[in-house]
Amino acid sequence: MLQWGLTLFMVGSGINHFWAPGAYVAMMPAILPWPLGLVYVSGAFEILGGLGLILRATRRPAAVGLIALLLAVFPANVNMAVNHLPLAGHVLPAWALWARLPFQALFIVWAAWYARPPRKPAPQLLDKR
């Protein structure tokens, strides 16, 4: 199931925000206040959003929340590419930093798949026998 892939990715990424917060603080735009706090908050929401995908009752709101989160953190990824910042202490070629950006869109589309409203059942035709 693809939802488990997204769940594992988001939960793993969220845990990494607490395990190695410096990597995320380094990519934050300087204009944002309290970068370490924002890293922890975004990590917590990644974990919650990922776990929310598990249950049918919470799947849609979790997916909408993940979309909002992915849009909110996108400027940090752009900042990293524009300013050629290292990724977790590793200097990457500029093309690799720019190539990461479309993956954010992929994750948004992936989450949007689970944010769709439930399908309504097809109307039943009356049996006229």
Side-chain angles (χ1 to χ4, degrees):
M1 287 200 238
L2 288 176
Q3 87 187 47
W4 286 102
L6 186 57
T7 294
L8 292 174
F9 180 82
M10 296 311 295
V11 170
S13 179
I15 290 170
N16 199 48
H17 279 66
F18 294 93
W19 184 264
Y24 299 95
V25 169
M27 58 194 292
M28 297 283 274
I31 194 169
L32 294 175
W34 199 42
L36 182 60
L38 291 173
V39 166
Y40 289 147
V41 167
S42 63
F45 280 116
E46 284 184 359
I47 294 168
L48 291 172
L51 293 175
L53 294 173
I54 295 171
L55 299 176
R56 178 164 282 148
T58 57
R59 190 169 299 144
R60 188 166 184 234
V64 170
L66 286 173
I67 292 167
L69 177 66
L70 289 164
L71 290 171
V73 301
F74 188 71
N77 291 308
V78 171
N79 182 54
M80 193 167 79
V82 167
N83 294 304
H84 200 209
L85 300 174
L87 177 61
H90 303 287
V91 177
L92 298 177
W95 68 264
L97 295 173
W98 287 100
R100 290 178 73 248
L101 298 179
F103 284 100
Q104 196 91 10
L106 175 68
F107 285 113
I108 290 169
V109 170
W110 196 356
W113 181 260
Y114 302 105
R116 298 170 303 165
R119 285 196 280 176
K120 295 179 182 177
Q124 299 295 320
L125 298 177
L126 295 176
D127 188 9
K128 297 183 181 181
R129 289 185 208 192

